[in-house]
Amino acid sequence: MTRLCARALLVAVVFCVILPSAFGQSAPTWHELTDAQRELLAPVRDRWSSLPAPQRQRLANGAAKWKDMTPLQRERAQEKFDRWREMTDQRRTKLRQLHTRWRALAPEHRKLIRQSYKRWRSLAPDERRALRERYVNLSPEGRREFRQRLRERARERDRD
């Protein structure tokens, strides 16, 4: 049972990193948590009140979300947490910065990026490999021109 609680806590911590802060909500005290949240967060009970309010809110949100997950979703969340935990601090910092940049993009821009990624993933692995090699072999100027053409195509699609 202790191992299960520890794993659940680890996953809740992942949600602290992945989920955005709950702005405008006050962080719950230990007694304001549900029984299920308290059980999941038991490993941090002794220091709960000393945690920063945004962290307490994120932990509480993560614990609530964990309760509603299917076993498969929990397994995937655990795998993500394990990958996160194995990363270097430098890599985590880089990912946080990328996440911040992503969230700052306009929703329409994020939608275009998702669509492009979906098209990319639909290509056969050999096609993706060939395109990646072509891009890597471009000069810096060639890469800038390529990115500019992509932006122009995206703008044209927006007008249509």
Side-chain angles (χ1 to χ4, degrees):
M1 182 66 182
T2 303
R3 187 171 182 205
L4 177 62
C5 286
R7 292 186 109 198
L9 175 64
L10 294 176
V11 172
V13 171
V14 166
F15 289 114
C16 291
V17 176
I18 295 173
L19 294 176
S21 295
F23 295 110
Q25 296 179 359
S26 62
T29 65
W30 183 257
H31 297 290
E32 292 173 330
L33 296 173
T34 66
D35 291 339
Q37 287 171 314
R38 282 195 298 266
E39 181 180 340
L40 197 59
L41 298 170
V44 296
R45 180 181 185 187
D46 292 340
R47 55 193 172 98
W48 181 260
S49 61
S50 66
L51 294 174
Q55 185 177 4
R56 286 195 323 261
Q57 186 64 54
R58 288 190 305 262
L59 282 168
N61 291 347
K65 187 168 177 110
W66 177 264
K67 178 186 67 116
D68 296 332
M69 289 177 154
T70 66
L72 180 59
Q73 290 170 324
R74 288 178 180 186
E75 182 179 336
R76 287 181 180 158
Q78 181 66 48
E79 288 169 2
K80 287 179 182 181
F81 177 75
D82 291 343
R83 281 196 312 268
W84 178 262
R85 198 175 54 195
E86 292 169 4
M87 288 181 196
T88 63
D89 288 340
Q90 184 179 14
R91 180 68 178 143
R92 287 184 199 150
T93 298
K94 179 69 174 171
L95 286 174
R96 284 184 188 108
Q97 290 168 347
L98 287 172
H99 178 72
T100 300
R101 285 178 55 200
W102 172 258
R103 298 299 303 165
L105 293 173
E108 306 81 39
H109 194 175
R110 288 196 308 257
K111 182 179 179 182
L112 286 172
I113 292 170
R114 283 188 191 103
Q115 289 170 343
S116 294
Y117 182 71
K118 190 175 182 179
R119 283 194 305 273
W120 169 260
R121 294 296 298 167
S122 71
L123 297 174
D126 290 341
E127 290 179 272
R128 289 197 309 254
R129 193 174 305 111
L131 287 171
R132 193 177 303 114
E133 286 176 20
R134 281 179 51 198
Y135 181 79
V136 167
N137 292 326
L138 287 173
S139 67
E141 180 60 28
R143 288 182 188 185
R144 276 191 292 277
E145 290 172 5
F146 175 75
R147 288 190 302 267
Q148 182 59 37
R149 285 194 308 270
L150 286 178
R151 282 191 286 273
E152 289 169 4
R153 279 192 225 158
R155 281 189 210 108
E156 288 172 14
R157 275 193 303 257
D158 282 346
R159 282 180 274 203
D160 294 340

